[in-house]
Amino acid sequence: MSVEPSLDQIRTVADNVQVHKFGGSSLADAFCYRRVARIVTEYAGASDVVVVSAAGDTTNRILAIIKAQKESGDTADILLDQLERFQQGLILELLGSEFAAPILEQSTVDFQRFRDFVAGKEIIEHEAELLSYGELWSARLLAALLRKQGTKADHIDARDFLKAEDAPEPVIQELESRHNLLNRVAPFPGTRFIVTGFIARSLNGESLTLGRNGSDYSATLVGSLLNSKQVTIWKDVAGVYSADPRKIERVVSLSTLDWSEAEELARLGSPVLHPRTFQPVDRDRMVISVRSSLKVENQQTRIGNFEHTEPKGKVFTSLSEIVLFKVELNDRELVKQLEVLDLTPLVSWTEPEKHQQYLVFHQNHLNYISHWLDRINAGNAVTQIHGYSMVALVGNRIQETDQYNTFKLQLGEQKVRRFAVSEDGCSAVAILEQKLDSRLLNRLHSQLFNYRRSLGVLVIGRGNIGTAWLDLFRQQRDRINQVMDVRVIGIANSKKLWLDYSGVELNEWQAGFDRLSRPYVLTELLRELPNAPYDELVMIDLTDAKPVAQLYPSLFANGLHIISANKRAGSAEEALYREIRTIQHEYKREWLYNTTVGAGLPLNYAINDLRGSGDEIRSISGIFSGTMSWLFENFTDGVKFSDLVLEAKKRGYSEPDPREDLSCQDLVRKLLILAREIGLKLDWEDISVSSLVPESLRDISASEFLQRAHELDEPMDTMLKEAAKDGNVPRLLASFSVSEEGRVSAKIGVEYIPAGDMLANLIPGENIFVIYTDWYSEMPLVISGPGAGKHVTAGGVQSDLNQLLAKLTVTG
């Protein structure tokens, strides 16, 4: 029983209720249904209306059953069994036995009607009656899934409110339909209504379908009836692009389109937009948003009445197959009938000297026009001409743009049959006497849209270094973007991810992360990232996580470059390290990791420069750890070593667990990275290591270790006093050397050094690397400087990013 809504309720609907539409591909299987349910829960308002299509290829399956029913054999029964298993399988998988029972009962009744139809027990004259079940099943199931998840939801069969006069394009009875819909929706705020798209009810009570792209049209129609401010059409693409991404490389998504631009693009055959979608729209009030249901975080395209739009070519579109109809103007009756044809040609022109008119149509309209010409007995007065194609540039006031001149100039080398500008000035269209190929399309697009190359940055690790680097990047962003369009598209810790393909807001990113981050699994994210709308992608790994390092081969294989402050990959077991290197080279990805040894010091760059110049490195020794440098330089008589350890942890100098430093495990990683950098096959067991962590503190938790850190004091005091007997001081040194015969020796441990030696008099936290080579054999090359600290390391990460941009700019 409907409840008559009040005027206030109707106004509330108009001001607050938006409409969302999901097509069949968005509801193809159980996984897709769950994704749509999440979108409806998180991105739709509590009272919003959702219009849905039939799941997957359900409509085509029903058409196949209808066709098979007219033929002999059991094909129709087989197809019907398959459809029933598919639909009821969805119900059981999504709802479980408890919630599924009432929906399964309704489904069984529906399929019994299909069986009666197939068996000839029930005559159903209009196929729309059967086709309507596809949308009805989708609406029922999505509403039930939302209810199971705790969301207040119900479904509406559009035939209960949408009344139309039967015609090739049904004529909607707006007043009655609006009244019916508002009666159903307005009195029930807080309920998400799931509405069937594609279908309506005729004036004599029969089911009607709304034709091709009927669900998109249904969405804007429902929005118009409710007087909504916005309709969001969720598709498998992130809005409208500068060209079809299936044909053109390096397209970009458009943030806005004016109504006239969008309608012209739809008229010219856009696969994303259909002309009927715009018919019901109040252009002064409504905005249509086109978003991706596969990648919700992607940029969307908003279509509306945007003032002060500058002349600009926005979209390059093409049709590989079009049909020219040549009309003999001597047949005046035919010409008069063509004037009332309810299908607008892409382009038309007259050649008076030949008494001929040419009409150009999309290949998809060929059958419709051919049947129409047969009905009016056009005979030989109309000739079809094939083998033509179309390219067009769409944008507001197109003739005022530089792109218009470029478009005409570039087409000068092609076989152009006709070049025309649309009446409203929103497109320039060229009809070509040739087939299209990808090289031509990509060349035209690149000439028309000279975009900077783009780099999407995913930051894993939002601790001290991550925070410092994000602040540094924000400060330097304008300078960096002069080289490439670089955007941070994701920030993650071990459990949550904030992902936004249009770029996260960095001014208050901590608050944004807290509000917008969601649980994620990195292996699942890898399947999505390659489709991000960027020319290049880089992951900046600011963790100390072994699981992240183990995914480096997959990251490279999925097209990502890596900047790493994580030492786990460079120091991995030899087999994994070789796999990482092999996959990196195979996929031609960059891996920059200068901060893994020496924080921000240009150590790796110096080593690579020496080797690239023909020198051979014979040994590297010194103090490789900024943490251990800080500890030992501050460790003097009367100072407790444990107090220094706790202070280093507090300042962020040490690893999260200081035992990584004290046990020399972190130094082993650095030594391995350096040795492998010069081509040595060194593994963990090849290094002699003396740990500073007593046996009693090795296997306890990190928190317990910090509480018992005072147990370090006695052995360390003994070491300090023993060194002082000979005027020495203890320092933790690391070294490796290569003999003339190629034998490698490597060790890490405390050595007693004369108090006046340069290794004993560093600034606390300073690293020093003493490098002997064939060229630097008598006097070594010495590189020293800060080896710890979040700002120094962040600067090193930024240096790696600059190096990456330089490489990509050259290769791009």
Side-chain angles (χ1 to χ4, degrees), residues 294-310:
L294 302 181
K295 305 173 189 65
V296 179
E297 297 82 3
N298 276 18
Q299 179 173 299
Q300 59 185 296
T301 301
R302 291 171 58 80
I303 303 169
N305 188 14
F306 300 109
E307 297 180 356
H308 311 301
T309 54
E310 297 180 359

Side-chain angles (χ1 to χ4, degrees), residues 104-395:
L104 280 175
E105 185 177 340
Q106 292 173 308
S107 175
T108 300
V109 172
D110 295 341
F111 278 100
Q112 184 56 52
R113 189 180 185 197
F114 268 85
R115 295 195 186 285
D116 290 343
F117 164 72
V118 169
K121 296 179 181 179
E122 180 178 357
I123 306 300
I124 300 177
E125 295 182 358
H126 300 282
E127 66 178 30
E129 183 68 20
L130 294 174
L131 290 173
S132 64
Y133 279 103
E135 273 67 22
L136 183 58
W137 293 332
S138 287
R140 274 184 196 157
L141 181 52
L142 182 57
L145 177 59
L146 289 168
R147 289 195 297 272
K148 179 192 174 188
Q149 296 175 346
T151 298
K152 192 175 181 181
D154 199 357
H155 80 278
I156 301 176
D157 186 336
R159 292 172 295 181
D160 293 341
F161 70 84
L162 197 55
K163 306 302 178 184
E165 182 181 341
D166 195 1
E169 286 192 1
V171 180
I172 304 300
Q173 306 299 296
E174 289 188 22
L175 290 178
E176 183 180 359
S177 298
R178 176 177 290 111
H179 179 266
N180 293 340
L181 179 57
L182 285 170
N183 279 4
R184 184 71 177 86
V185 171
F188 306 101
T191 299
R192 290 177 173 89
F193 284 103
I194 315 301
V195 179
T196 58
F198 183 58
I199 56 177
R201 183 81 69 188
S202 72
L203 300 183
N204 59 8
E206 296 172 347
S207 295
L208 295 175
T209 59
L210 299 179
R212 181 171 169 260
N213 282 77
S215 293
D216 284 2
Y217 171 59
S218 296
T220 53
L221 179 57
V222 168
S224 175
L225 296 176
L226 296 174
N227 201 21
S228 296
K229 294 179 180 179
Q230 178 166 312
V231 172
T232 300
I233 299 177
W234 297 87
K235 293 182 173 288
D236 54 4
V237 293
V240 182
Y241 292 92
S242 59
D244 188 339
R246 296 169 300 180
K247 301 177 183 178
I248 307 293
E249 301 173 0
R250 296 179 182 173
V251 297
V252 295
S253 57
L254 304 174
S255 57
T256 61
L257 278 177
D258 193 72
W259 287 120
S260 56
E261 296 169 329
E263 289 178 292
E264 182 64 4
L265 186 59
R267 188 185 73 82
L268 293 174
S270 166
V272 179
L273 305 170
H274 188 272
R276 290 194 70 205
T277 305
F278 303 107
Q279 287 180 5
V281 172
D282 179 349
R283 285 157 176 75
D284 292 327
R285 177 175 173 83
M286 186 185 292
V287 169
I288 294 177
S289 173
V290 183
R291 298 185 68 172
S292 170
S293 62
L294 302 181
K295 305 173 189 65
V296 179
E297 297 82 3
N298 276 18
Q299 179 173 299
Q300 59 185 296
T301 301
R302 291 171 58 80
I303 303 169
N305 188 14
F306 300 109
E307 297 180 356
H308 311 301
T309 54
E310 297 180 359
K312 183 179 181 181
K314 290 186 177 179
V315 184
F316 171 64
T317 188
S318 64
L319 293 173
S320 57
E321 292 185 77
I322 57 174
V323 184
L324 271 64
F325 287 86
K326 182 175 69 173
V327 180
E328 301 297 336
L329 294 178
N330 294 329
D331 190 334
R332 295 190 177 183
E333 185 61 31
L334 172 62
V335 172
K336 190 178 297 184
Q337 289 180 299
L338 282 172
E339 290 175 354
V340 296
L341 174 65
D342 61 348
L343 189 64
T344 305
L346 300 170
V347 179
S348 65
W349 70 92
T350 301
E351 296 181 358
E353 68 280 3
K354 296 181 180 179
H355 300 286
Q356 294 171 344
Q357 183 181 17
Y358 289 86
L359 306 174
V360 182
F361 291 96
H362 193 299
Q363 179 75 17
N364 292 344
H365 296 143
L366 176 58
N367 289 338
Y368 174 83
I369 297 171
S370 297
H371 291 152
W372 183 81
L373 290 172
D374 289 341
R375 287 200 306 272
I376 65 171
N377 297 316
N380 296 327
V382 178
T383 305
Q384 292 182 24
I385 307 174
H386 297 267
Y388 284 71
S389 59
M390 181 205 79
V391 291
L393 179 61
V394 177

